[in-house]
Amino acid sequence: MSEPTGLHVEIVTLFPELFDSFLAASLLGKAIASGIVRVDRTNPRDFGLGKHRSVDDTPYGGGPGMILRVEPLAAAIDHVETQRGRAHRILLSPQGLPLRQAKAAELATRQRLMLICGRYEGVDERVASLYADEILSIGDYVLSGGEVAAAVVIEVVTRLVPGVVGQSESIEDESFSSGRLEYPQFTRPPAFRGLPVPPVLLSGDHAEIERWRRQEALRRTHERRPDLLVAHPVTEVESRLFKGKSVPGGGKSG
Ligand code: ADE
């Protein structure tokens, strides 16, 4: 018996090999090697129909392309859960709710996630009706399948599992957790092609650096993603940081 892991992800995909290097590299590779994260892949093709293990068919009512059939997907999901237990099942589809940081944080608290990847022109609707606990989209564009979307979900969620990313502050500081884009970051050299690092960052004055960073985060959010300011309005603390200056995105300036 292996040790209980922080997060166990089940991927149901016709292209399990697409995940090979993604799961082996960098932080995720280390988290899997150390057992904090476990990922299993199951191919619905192994549950395909007939001699050719068919997984798709033409759409009822006509129209272009092929539709993933419900039976091989259902059999793959049932098999996984009979072997390893019920998982929170997510169908990846452009029809789903958009994935956001808050959703990722919620998913990171689960023990078992199942990511069900579609392919072809679509997936028989009964997969969503009978199996999906939720449907997630990674953005308003159409991928050729759910695999890249599943990789995105895995990366976003596993980063939040304790022990996967070194310093938890580096997660808390990041874009979106607070509804703000991240402040600009610099490392050596102090000047490059005429562009210097903002002097405050070299000042050693930590209070002033913190203040500058929060100002820049707010400025950037206002310029690039004003929609975030609607959901997360300028706070009292932020408006105090901007005392005497105009606050991007409105709000009070003390
Ligand atoms: N499958 C195809 N396009 C997708 C998207 N945008 N998000 C999630 N799954 C998808």
Side-chain angles (χ1 to χ4, degrees):
M1 279 285 280
S2 58
E3 290 285 297
T5 53
L7 180 68
H8 185 177
V9 182
E10 302 276 4
I11 313 174
V12 176
T13 170
L14 286 167
F15 297 93
E17 68 281 4
L18 274 181
F19 295 89
D20 286 347
S21 56
F22 171 69
L23 294 174
S26 192
L27 292 177
L28 181 56
K30 287 199 193 104
I32 291 171
S34 73
I36 302 173
V37 173
R38 172 176 166 183
V39 180
D40 286 292
R41 289 169 271 179
T42 303
N43 193 339
R45 175 76 62 190
D46 297 337
F47 304 87
L49 294 127
K51 196 167 67 170
H52 299 292
R53 304 209 158 222
S54 168
V55 293
D56 59 342
D57 208 339
T58 53
Y60 276 126
M66 300 292 275
I67 306 298
L68 254 179
R69 291 178 63 128
V70 62
E71 305 99 307
L73 277 169
I77 296 166
D78 291 344
H79 172 80
V80 164
E81 293 192 345
T82 304
Q83 298 283 306
R84 298 187 280 273
R86 179 75 159 91
H88 181 70
R89 305 174 192 142
I90 299 167
L91 177 65
L92 283 319
S93 161
Q95 323 249 333
L97 282 179
L99 174 67
R100 299 201 195 291
Q101 194 66 32
K103 169 56 70 178
E106 181 196 315
L107 296 177
T109 66
R110 303 241 177 208
Q111 285 187 330
R112 281 173 49 73
L113 293 180
M114 183 186 290
L115 303 174
I116 305 165
C117 304
R119 272 274 152 176
Y120 308 114
E121 294 301 310
V123 177
D124 188 299
E125 188 61 26
R126 288 164 292 189
V127 174
S129 316
L130 294 172
Y131 280 95
D133 293 314
E134 62 183 312
I135 307 175
L136 288 182
S137 164
I138 62 158
D140 290 340
Y141 36 76
V142 180
L143 303 164
S144 298
E147 283 76 11
V148 169
V152 168
V153 173
I154 292 170
E155 181 146 322
V156 170
V157 173
T158 55
R159 288 175 56 72
L160 303 175
V161 172
V164 173
V165 172
Q167 294 166 297
S168 56
E169 317 88 81
S170 73
I171 290 175
E172 276 156 27
D173 251 21
E174 278 173 349
S175 294
F176 303 116
S177 346
S178 57
R180 298 287 176 266
L181 299 184
E182 203 180 4
Y183 49 79
Q185 296 271 35
F186 298 87
T187 185
R188 287 185 288 181
F192 183 71
R193 295 188 184 164
L195 264 190
V197 171
V200 61
L201 297 179
L202 310 176
S203 69
D205 182 339
H206 293 293
E208 201 46 42
I209 291 170
E210 175 64 15
R211 183 182 143 91
W212 181 86
R213 284 180 166 165
R214 296 195 66 159
Q215 284 180 353
E216 290 305 308
L218 185 56
R219 189 189 321 281
R220 208 164 243 217
T221 307
H222 175 63
E223 277 168 15
R224 300 183 186 177
R225 291 291 306 277
D227 57 300
L228 292 176
L229 286 174
V230 178
H232 304 264
V234 175
T235 64
E236 282 290 330
V237 174
E238 283 173 326
S239 60
R240 257 182 269 128
L241 289 173
F242 276 83
K243 220 183 236 163
K245 303 172 191 168
S246 71
V247 183
K252 283 165 273 172
S253 174

